[in-house]
Amino acid sequence: MFTCTATIDPAFTIAPVPPRLFGSFVEHMGRCVYGGVYEPGHPEADVDGLRLDVIKLTRELGISTVRYPGGNFVSGHRWEDGVGPRADRPATLDLAWRSVEPNTFGLNEFMAWARQTDIEPIMAVNLGTRGVQDACNLLEYANFPGGTHYSDLRISHGVREPHRIKTWCLGNEMDGPWQIGQKTGTEYGRLAAETAKAMRRIDPTIELVACGSSNVRMPTFGTWEAQVLDEAYDVVDYISLHAYFEQHGDDRVGFLASAQVMDSFIEGVVATCDHIAAKRRSPRKVNLAFDEWNLWYENRFTGQDEPEWARAPRLIEDEYTVEDAVVLGNLLMSLLRHSDRVTIACLAQLVNVIAPIRTEPDTGAWRQTIFHPFALTARHAVGEVLRVEPVSPMLHSTTLGDVAAVDVTATRNPETGETTIFAVNRDERQPATLRLRMAGEEHEVVEHVLLGGQDLLATNSRTAPRRVEPRSSTRHQVEPTGLSAQLPPVSWSMIRTAPRAVAAP
Ligand code: AHR
């Protein structure tokens, strides 16, 4: 047993919890769309083919925004193939995943799903095989009220009211050699700036996301962001970050400390944005859209699990363990403590493809282990994020060096005084005692739940969909100056407190 201490003080706030921090991502990849959100004829599907069990779990997960339609898919996508009468839509080749795209689900079906699911859409335009003109055509189709070619085309497709999509991504991972239409930072920055300029003339209310690096390990990381923003700083609102985590070699401590990698990735991109702002003497702030993040066992991904040119093949349907859920809960803590700059984040992806929700054709949808820390954080991280500086012993990671054994983040609802503490113990052998000094009012614990501490390799599956669920804990104690709680080895905990009701004299 070892001890970690932290102070929770409502005076030290970082930022309000951004509502779009709890976003997700739906790509035309594998069985995310076909056989995931959309499966006509499935007993759980409505008359439009939308799976209601998936909609129910998406709401329960607390998803606020969804990015669509890719991903690498978008860089070869022709959006007009996916609108209009289904009988007229062509089946096409998706070059990103070497699959056949039936185009029976497209922009208008996605928007119907978004309305039913009560999420805000984020749309990506193709800057791989296409450019300024096509981005404008799509925006005109989606957002222009009527009386022009593309807006009238939308109306002729039965969608009278414009979709009014606010947030648009200017391409996807344009630095990656795997991307169709890969560009240099300067080439992409010029294209992004010109596309942004033209799109804003059609709809000045939109906000735009420029592509950052595909991941922090890209050889051009840092330079790419600077080159893109040198060209596009004045016309974009966000720069994107993508990160997928897995264990490298036998460095389990490094995997458990993935949130530390996320912390420094975010801080590197913030520094680059602010460097460009300073160079330009710009009063604008470009914020960060972490619009793809998750765990992904890329070392097990061969690129294609099924024959090429299949429809909706089973691609990267990773099954997540309890340990993965602990790491994912910790990654959310990293996003929360950077919520002054990361104001959009999308867990990639939503269904089947590296996803918190799984489906099969012959049964109802179920929750993967990673569903649980996400849903609990989305529901209970309310109000403002507090600045917490835990004092913890260190562990040694062969890839990261020394990392803190315990990580802590907290949020507080200023209206009710309710405070939610998120804590992770990364130590594989020892439980930790977390001693919290709570400044201000006395608190009582209203809920203490955790994941981990045991059965770290357990998963949920179609035959055992509820094997892993958060369990409640009584291992906490209210003390005169705060509280203490026990954190089992390799665990994620959420402790909700409320100001203690003072008895009338
Ligand atoms: O989410 C899967 C893929 O990962 C996306 O298509 C791409 O943007 C990223 O490399």
Side-chain angles (χ1 to χ4, degrees):
M1 174 84 80
F2 64 96
T3 300
C4 163
T5 58
T7 298
I8 307 291
D9 190 330
F12 298 140
T13 58
I14 295 175
V17 177
R20 291 189 293 176
L21 206 66
F22 304 108
S24 188
F25 173 44
V26 166
E27 175 167 9
H28 285 245
M29 175 183 178
R31 297 192 309 125
C32 184
V33 171
Y34 304 105
V37 300
Y38 177 71
E39 194 168 10
H42 189 279
E44 297 280 354
D46 67 7
V47 286
D48 298 318
L50 302 178
R51 276 190 69 156
L52 298 176
D53 53 348
V54 171
I55 290 178
K56 185 165 167 270
L57 287 187
T58 304
R59 286 170 169 272
E60 184 186 317
L61 191 54
I63 296 298
S64 51
T65 189
V66 171
R67 178 169 171 255
Y68 174 84
N72 297 340
F73 170 80
V74 81
S75 292
H77 180 47
R78 292 162 40 91
W79 63 270
E80 62 275 29
D81 291 341
V83 295
R86 281 211 177 86
D88 299 342
R89 299 188 198 175
T92 51
L93 295 179
D94 160 23
L95 304 187
W97 304 112
R98 296 174 70 87
S99 309
V100 170
E101 168 56 50
N103 283 305
T104 48
F105 188 95
L107 171 63
N108 295 323
E109 287 80 21
F110 173 70
M111 290 305 297
W113 178 84
R115 273 191 299 278
Q116 215 168 317
T117 314
D118 202 18
I119 59 95
E120 183 185 327
I122 296 179
M123 189 66 51
V125 300
N126 173 356
L127 292 189
T129 57
R130 293 185 150 187
V132 183
Q133 182 61 59
D134 180 65
C136 290
N137 296 348
L138 172 55
L139 179 61
E140 181 187 324
Y141 181 93
N143 280 16
F144 204 74
T148 63
H149 176 71
Y150 284 106
S151 58
D152 285 346
L153 185 63
R154 181 196 71 240
I155 294 167
S156 77
H157 293 158
V159 184
R160 170 84 248 156
E161 288 303 309
H163 290 307
R164 298 192 184 87
I165 298 168
K166 178 171 142 197
T167 308
W168 294 78
C169 299
L170 298 165
N172 177 71
E173 296 189 347
M174 299 308 304
D175 60 334
W178 57 87
Q179 201 68 222
I180 296 162
Q182 183 200 6
K183 294 172 178 52
T184 66
T186 303
E187 280 168 358
Y188 169 71
R190 291 282 308 123
L191 178 59
E194 289 307 311
T195 308
K197 186 168 84 187
M199 288 177 79
R200 285 192 194 286
R201 287 196 186 162
I202 296 173
D203 184 349
T205 68
I206 56 174
E207 51 180 30
L208 294 167
V209 184
C211 294
S213 296
S214 298
N215 61 65
V216 71
R217 297 178 310 280
M218 295 300 286
T220 48
F221 171 59
T223 307
W224 170 272
E225 281 76 3
Q227 288 175 338
V228 169
L229 292 176
D230 265 334
E231 301 297 334
Y233 194 88
D234 296 335
V235 286
V236 300
D237 305 285
Y238 292 89
I239 187 139
S240 71
L241 295 82
H242 291 181
Y244 293 100
F245 298 92
E246 66 184 319
Q247 181 169 325
H248 295 286
D250 53 11
D251 186 18
R252 188 167 174 213
V253 172
F255 174 57
L256 291 166
S258 296
Q260 189 167 306
V261 178
M262 188 181 243
D263 287 342
S264 53
F265 185 15
I266 292 170
E267 285 154 25
V269 177
V270 168
T272 310
C273 290
D274 292 352
H275 165 69
I276 304 299
K279 271 206 316 186
R280 303 172 81 84
R281 282 114 185 126
S282 172
R284 294 185 80 232
K285 259 205 193 330
V286 166
N287 277 332
L288 277 52
F290 215 128
D291 57 22
E292 282 186 37
W293 71 273
N294 202 346
L295 311 183
W296 175 357
Y297 295 106
E298 287 186 71
N299 56 19
R300 291 184 210 155
F301 181 52
T302 55
Q304 191 78 32
D305 299 342
E306 288 212 350
E308 291 183 351
W309 308 121
R311 288 181 186 220
R314 287 175 184 267
L315 295 180
I316 46 171
E317 300 194 353
D318 284 1
E319 192 168 83
Y320 293 111
T321 64
V322 170
E323 183 162 315
D324 293 334
V326 171
V327 173
L328 186 126
N330 200 181
L331 292 169
L332 277 165
M333 290 161 57
S334 168
L335 291 172
L336 278 170
R337 65 175 154 257
H338 292 99
S339 54
D340 53 337
R341 296 303 291 272
V342 180
T343 55
I344 295 177
C346 302
L347 178 70
Q349 300 186 4
L350 182 66
V351 194
N352 290 330
V353 178
I354 40 172
I357 300 172
R358 283 292 320 273
T359 65
E360 284 296 341
D362 54 356
T363 186
W366 70 93
R367 304 165 189 79
Q368 292 235 55
T369 60
I370 59 170
F371 184 101
H372 296 294
F374 191 104
L376 286 166
T377 307
R379 186 166 329 132
H380 295 297
V382 174
E384 290 170 326
V385 185
L386 301 183
R387 187 169 300 285
V388 184
E389 302 286 352
V391 178
S392 162
M394 304 303 269
L395 300 170
H396 187 72
S397 146
T398 50
T399 54
L400 304 178
D402 285 346
V403 299
V406 169
D407 192 12
V408 187
T409 304
T411 60
R412 178 174 179 272
N413 182 341
E415 276 152 35
T416 60
E418 284 174 8
T419 302
T420 306
I421 296 128
F422 302 96
V424 162
N425 179 5
R426 298 166 176 157
D427 194 293
E428 297 169 49
R429 282 173 287 274
Q430 302 182 69
T433 300
L434 174 63
R435 300 194 85 99
L436 295 172
R437 199 181 76 77
M438 311 269 295
E441 313 139 294
E442 278 185 43
H443 281 249
E444 59 195 1
V445 173
V446 294
E447 187 181 16
H448 178 182
V449 289
L450 60 84
L451 278 153
Q454 59 195 46
D455 292 337
L456 292 176
L457 296 181
T459 59
N460 288 340
S461 63
R462 151 208 170 124
T463 49
R466 307 194 76 141
R467 180 158 171 224
V468 178
E469 293 195 325
R471 55 188 200 278
S472 56
S473 171
T474 52
R475 309 198 78 163
H476 53 257
Q477 215 173 336
V478 176
E479 294 170 350
T481 56
L483 64 97
S484 66
Q486 204 183 103
L487 314 176
V490 187
S491 65
W492 172 91
S493 302
M494 181 187 80
I495 304 165
R496 292 173 53 221
T497 72
R500 188 197 290 271
V502 182

